[in-house]
Amino acid sequence: ADGRMKPDVVAPGYTVLAPRAHAASQNKEETYETLGTSFSAPVVAGTAALIRQYFEEGWFPCGSKGCNRSSVQPSGALVKAVLMNGATDLRNVQDVPSGKIMEPINPYDNHQGMGLINL
């Protein structure tokens, strides 16, 4: 209990739509709904990669590709700051495994940190 707020941000980890793998010969494209932190971590990693690409391709500061003649090489701190400052507040959190009880939460608390990542 050192006074730090964790988590920094939260990401979807419930009812995530994922691709279903098939043999190449089946030529099927199917998805399924799944859940778990193993699905929320890639959401954050992919979002961070898009933020990094945004700066590296020169979209900043005008919003069109290449407008900045010299691309910005973003630090990890900059990527994290964009993730955190773009997050939106959650209203409730499931506090029991049954999923039937929703507990109200406050912005910047230890349930959600800065909130749900949002590009």
Side-chain angles (χ1 to χ4, degrees), residues 8-119:
D8 297 321
V9 292
V10 294
Y14 191 81
T15 314
V16 175
L17 196 58
R20 184 178 302 279
H22 294 287
S25 61
Q26 290 183 333
N27 197 23
K28 291 183 178 180
E29 291 184 16
E30 295 179 334
T31 58
Y32 67 103
E33 288 184 1
T34 189
L35 58 98
T37 57
S38 57
F39 290 93
S40 59
V43 169
V44 176
T47 303
L50 289 172
I51 292 168
R52 183 172 186 79
Q53 181 180 3
Y54 175 83
F55 287 105
E56 288 178 341
E57 290 183 352
W59 291 80
F60 177 79
C62 67
S64 60
K65 187 175 182 177
C67 72
N68 185 358
R69 295 193 187 265
S70 62
S71 66
V72 175
Q73 296 301 313
S75 66
L78 176 59
V79 173
K80 183 177 179 180
V82 172
L83 274 171
M84 292 176 73
N85 285 288
T88 56
D89 295 338
L90 298 175
R91 294 188 183 135
N92 296 300
V93 66
Q94 176 184 334
D95 211 21
V96 294
S98 71
K100 298 192 186 229
I101 298 174
M102 299 299 281
E103 179 181 297
I105 57 176
N106 297 311
Y108 316 117
D109 67 6
N110 287 331
H111 287 290
Q112 67 174 324
M114 296 294 283
L116 179 67
I117 60 169
N118 183 11
L119 283 181

